[in-house]
Amino acid sequence: MKTCFYFFLIMLLTGCSKKNPVEKAFETKPDECWCYYTNCDSYYTYFKFKYNQLSYRYSRDENGKFTDKPEDPFVPEVPEKWSVSEDSILTWRNFSYDVVSFNDKVIILSYPTKEKPYLNYIFLIKEKENELKNHSNDEKRLYNPEKYKSYK
């Protein structure tokens, strides 16, 4: 009887402490960051989502290492609280986002806007510190417009 009691107690404790799988996907390891992309921003911002439910903003230094040193020394970066509900709604930076899709390497968020198309997207792409990405391809459309002409 005593064994059954301990078994149920352990099951109860482990069952209650399980994290939401979407929330767990946001958490980063020490050498990882989420690169934040939108159709509105043309610069790269990185975030670490930690298990303590705080996110931290990072950038890359000249050596490609993640640094939490603010770009503007007069405006300190403040950690932001975050959480994901069971129905996949991310609450972060005083706003709510729908988690459209997620896996170990990419998270897609959506949020409503007042202007067309009335819905915008945020793409979080996981990057490791030792795998510096070449972001020069992001502007290839600007340098090769002839490749993107539509034929009617």
Side-chain angles (χ1 to χ4, degrees):
M1 185 67 176
K2 203 174 200 181
T3 308
C4 285
F5 173 74
Y6 287 122
F7 175 74
F8 285 116
L9 181 64
I10 289 171
M11 291 298 287
L12 180 68
L13 291 175
T14 57
C16 293
S17 66
K18 273 192 170 180
K19 278 200 165 189
N20 175 344
V22 181
E23 204 166 69
K24 194 171 183 178
F26 275 86
E27 294 177 2
T28 50
K29 296 176 183 168
D31 67 333
E32 298 175 333
C33 273
W34 290 104
C35 186
Y36 178 99
Y37 293 93
T38 70
N39 58 337
C40 303
D41 295 331
S42 60
Y43 59 91
Y44 300 101
T45 303
Y46 299 88
F47 290 94
K48 286 190 181 202
F49 291 85
K50 303 218 175 168
Y51 67 92
N52 62 0
Q53 302 300 104
L54 292 175
S55 71
Y56 299 84
R57 183 186 292 241
Y58 285 78
S59 59
R60 283 197 185 261
D61 64 15
E62 58 277 352
N63 299 322
K65 300 286 184 199
F66 293 124
T67 177
D68 60 354
K69 187 176 114 179
E71 293 176 10
D72 184 350
F74 299 107
V75 180
E77 289 294 335
V78 178
E80 299 278 348
K81 288 186 178 192
W82 68 278
S83 65
V84 180
S85 66
E86 288 295 325
D87 54 351
S88 301
I89 298 172
L90 170 68
T91 304
W92 178 45
R93 302 166 73 197
N94 298 322
F95 200 72
S96 294
Y97 305 89
D98 287 319
V99 179
V100 177
S101 183
F102 74 97
N103 62 34
D104 294 354
K105 298 180 181 183
V106 178
I107 297 175
I108 302 171
L109 307 172
S110 68
Y111 62 96
T113 61
K114 293 182 180 180
E115 300 166 359
K116 282 189 176 181
Y118 304 114
L119 192 67
N120 276 341
Y121 292 93
I122 296 172
F123 301 92
L124 300 174
I125 312 293
K126 191 175 281 182
E127 292 188 13
K128 291 193 178 259
E129 192 164 38
N130 61 354
E131 297 173 358
L132 186 58
K133 300 254 196 245
N134 180 4
H135 294 290
S136 61
N137 288 339
D138 294 347
E139 296 180 357
K140 68 182 181 179
R141 184 178 291 265
L142 296 174
Y143 299 113
N144 301 297
E146 69 281 355
K147 293 182 179 181
Y148 296 93
K149 288 184 181 176
S150 61
Y151 298 101
K152 294 181 182 182

